Amino acid sequence: MITHVRSVALGVPDIGAAREFFEKHWQLDLVGTDADRVFLGAGCQDGHVLRLRSVSEPRVDLLSLAAATDADVDEIAERVAAHPLGRLVSEPATCDDADGGYRVRFLDCEGRTVEVSSGARPRAFRPVEPGESRPIGISHVVLNTADLPTALAFYRSIFDLQVTDWVEDIMVFLRAGTAHHMLAFTRAPHASLNHVAFELRGIDEFMRATGTLMQKGFAPLWGPGRHGVGANTFTYFQEPSSRFVAEYTTGMLRIDPDHEWVPRVYPGNAQTSDTWGVAAARDDAVSATLRGCPDAGLWQPPPV
């Protein structure tokens, strides 16, 4: 039904500074601009992986997910319409923007605007070469939630996502394909974006990307290291102007669909956070930064 995270759209107060960080330093590709938006791509065929829009207060505009077929988009729309905590923003319809395809938008159980589309036009792109620290695309997105059981139940009922693993009763990892997780939810005092993770080609490219940002004067928020849950590497950085957190990652565990997977419950300790033991401990300051502020975009769909 859902294949991957296609893109994330962020509202940022200083679009020039955010664009400079993600295009020049994070090495995303400039796809296009309009009056108040910037579209950035990666080494994949998705039309864009990150959209920036000029706003007065930081917010998440859209979480955009890819569906396998138009019929999947219609079924998701029907499930949202029938769900007591869902609300359609727009009915399924053919898109007239640059990406094309067939799309529906809705508000989830905590007011996030979610977009699901199928049949988008593939973008001509330059593949990531060995040694390049350009991201391939979005690996996964982690969302903070004030009501973990409700958020989990909602997303599973709408998208048929499977639970892969837990960290105690604090965090749950969800998958739609073979990747250990495509989405994850973690407990917080409020709903907000925890981070967006961008996939690198391999471990050398991951370390080179991390090192390049550090040489440019961007200190990691946390990392580099390797998570115990999902086995993916991590280095987290903060975009300086909006304070949104982005992660470099690679090497996520793949789940064999032909063998039954039993979700595990991991302890919330240092070994679970970083099996290498290289990264500094995840302290209260890191946790507070990942929690961020309550999302100003809740219950307020973007105008475009």
Side-chain angles (χ1 to χ4, degrees):
M1 180 172 281
I2 295 297
T3 60
H4 64 285
V5 178
R6 188 186 301 283
S7 64
V8 174
L10 303 177
V12 294
D14 189 338
I15 195 168
R19 172 181 172 176
E20 179 179 11
F21 176 82
F22 283 112
E23 181 184 357
K24 180 179 178 181
H25 304 302
W26 204 255
Q27 298 188 53
L28 296 180
D29 308 323
L30 178 63
V31 174
T33 63
D34 61 19
D36 64 350
R37 295 180 299 174
V38 173
F39 299 85
L40 299 166
C44 63
Q45 68 176 8
D46 287 318
H48 64 278
V49 297
L50 184 66
R51 189 189 88 175
L52 304 173
R53 184 172 68 94
S54 181
V55 297
S56 59
E57 186 178 0
R59 55 169 282 164
V60 179
D61 272 350
L62 291 170
L63 171 64
S64 182
L65 307 175
T69 67
D70 292 359
D72 288 329
V73 174
D74 286 332
E75 182 172 348
I76 288 166
E78 291 171 2
R79 292 183 182 186
V80 171
H83 198 288
L85 298 180
R87 191 179 92 197
L88 288 176
V89 172
S90 63
E91 297 286 343
T94 301
C95 306
D96 58 5
D97 57 20
D99 289 346
Y102 187 65
R103 178 180 75 195
V104 66
R105 286 184 180 178
F106 64 89
L107 298 180
D108 75 3
C109 56
E110 292 184 293
R112 304 175 189 86
T113 304
V114 181
E115 175 183 282
V116 181
S117 62
S118 60
R121 297 186 189 95
R123 180 178 69 93
F125 68 96
R126 183 174 67 81
V128 176
E129 300 292 337
E132 276 195 296
S133 51
R134 292 171 54 227
I136 293 172
I138 291 179
S139 165
H140 61 275
V141 173
V142 176
L143 300 169
N144 298 315
T145 175
D147 189 341
L148 182 56
T150 298
L152 173 59
F154 181 88
Y155 274 76
R156 293 196 73 190
S157 67
I158 300 300
F159 297 123
D160 292 337
L161 299 175
Q162 297 177 281
V163 173
T164 308
D165 286 316
W166 289 82
V167 175
E168 297 181 354
D169 63 348
I170 300 168
M171 189 173 187
V172 62
F173 298 83
L174 301 170
R175 72 185 190 276
T178 60
H180 180 275
H181 56 282
M182 179 183 76
L183 293 174
F185 286 92
T186 187
R187 291 185 187 272
H190 50 256
S192 60
L193 177 64
N194 188 283
H195 69 272
V196 180
F198 292 83
E199 181 76 22
L200 278 299
R201 193 178 191 276
I203 190 67
D204 285 344
E205 292 78 8
F206 162 80
M207 290 301 295
R208 182 170 287 110
T210 297
T212 297
L213 274 189
M214 293 175 67
Q215 290 166 11
K216 291 181 177 182
F218 297 98
L221 172 67
W222 186 32
R226 185 182 288 275
H227 289 311
V229 188
N232 53 301
T233 62
F234 67 88
T235 311
Y236 297 86
F237 290 90
Q238 226 179 353
E239 191 283 306
S241 66
S242 65
R243 314 303 289 172
F244 285 117
V245 177
E247 177 191 15
Y248 280 140
T249 191
T250 196
M252 182 179 287
L253 177 68
R254 297 287 162 169
I255 308 298
D256 185 347
D258 295 327
H259 293 81
E260 183 177 356
W261 179 268
V262 179
R264 294 162 291 184
V265 179
Y266 287 78
N269 59 22
Q271 178 70 15
T272 294
S273 294
D274 177 22
T275 60
W276 286 345
V278 174
R282 176 170 167 167
D283 58 19
D284 291 343
V286 172
S287 295
T289 302
L290 289 169
R291 283 195 298 270
C293 298
D295 186 358
L298 298 178
W299 307 109
Q300 301 178 55
V304 288

